[in-house]
Amino acid sequence: MQYEGKHVIRTQVFKGSTPPYHLKNKSREEGTFIRVGSTNRLASPEMIAELERQKQNRSFDSELVYSKAMEQIDIETFKNFFLEKTGEELTISALSKLELFRQEQGKNLPTNALILLSDDELRKQQFPYAKIECARSELQPELQQELQQETLYSITLMQLTEKPLNTKEISQKMGQKEISGQLRKILRKLHKDQLIENSIPESPNHPAQKHQLTEPGRTFLKHLTNARNRETTPQ
């Protein structure tokens, strides 16, 4: 293309699936930039860590804390609250199902989520300004429906857990010979519910366009998997 009598080469760099990316001639800390509105800003260490978690499909609350074993954490208030709300004891099995600790090198290590739910001194040290707020998900009906009977809603969503796919690739992965009208309808609903998004949001009709999971989409699948595990695990 030409601009003011000069030849200009226009390039478009699409969003990748393995962040963070940084300038080759700089370190990751000095060369990782993020887009904020119409400006480029140097990514903070916290943002770089968050990008690393996105690449590994992990969340901050699921990260392990190594300074204390799970048995050493003061969770008495949380235990009482759990008993009051569910009528059940907060056992080791329940903590495991809630993914509030994991075993590593023979030790039960708490996650950030368990520290946040505790009254332990470690919470005051690591998260002095933390505040926990809960809200009922607007997608609760969809979650309940999937627990009663698996539908195309969650089946379609699960196709995107490994990488972004276009509509044809999703259809083929599900064993369909051609793209069905029902699949297109489900994809529109998943976009509307903000569980998936376009990989190239600024160009909806781009030929390389794909569907990819959003953070709420990953959370929805996580809740669904945990709920199904609770239903199938013997008490």
Side-chain angles (χ1 to χ4, degrees), residues 7 17 32 43 79 92 138 162 182 209 214 228:
H7 290 288
S17 58
T32 301
K79 282 183 176 179
I92 292 290
E138 294 180 1
E162 295 180 0
Q182 185 65 14
Q209 188 68 264
T214 61
R228 284 173 175 166

Side-chain angles (χ1 to χ4, degrees), residues 212-231:
Q212 62 185 17
L213 279 178
T214 61
E215 195 58 40
R218 294 188 186 92
T219 301
F220 181 89
L221 286 177
K222 181 179 178 180
H223 287 329
L224 183 60
T225 300
N226 290 343
R228 284 173 175 166
N229 289 340
R230 287 196 293 271
E231 287 188 346

Side-chain angles (χ1 to χ4, degrees), residues 10-16 21 199-202 206:
R10 178 185 176 185
T11 62
Q12 186 172 7
V13 181
F14 299 118
K15 182 179 179 180
Y21 301 99
S199 59
I200 312 172
E202 67 277 9
H206 195 281

Side-chain angles (χ1 to χ4, degrees), residues 12 25 51 72 112 134 145 178:
Q12 186 172 7
N25 61 344
L51 291 170
Q72 298 174 296
N112 281 330
C134 299
Q145 171 63 37
E178 57 183 28

Side-chain angles (χ1 to χ4, degrees), residues 153-210:
Y153 190 84
S154 65
I155 293 173
T156 303
L157 201 58
M158 286 187 284
Q159 308 310 310
L160 299 169
T161 54
E162 295 180 0
K163 62 180 181 180
L165 300 170
N166 61 36
T167 303
K168 184 177 180 180
E169 289 169 334
I170 294 173
S171 179
Q172 291 174 339
K173 197 173 180 183
M174 293 167 60
Q176 298 181 352
K177 293 182 179 179
E178 57 183 28
I179 301 171
S180 66
Q182 185 65 14
L183 176 58
R184 294 186 188 277
K185 180 179 178 181
I186 289 295
L187 286 170
R188 286 196 296 271
K189 179 166 175 54
L190 288 169
H191 275 280
K192 181 182 177 182
D193 292 342
Q194 299 182 358
L195 299 186
I196 63 175
E197 63 186 1
N198 287 334
S199 59
I200 312 172
E202 67 277 9
S203 183
N205 297 319
H206 195 281
Q209 188 68 264
K210 294 179 184 288

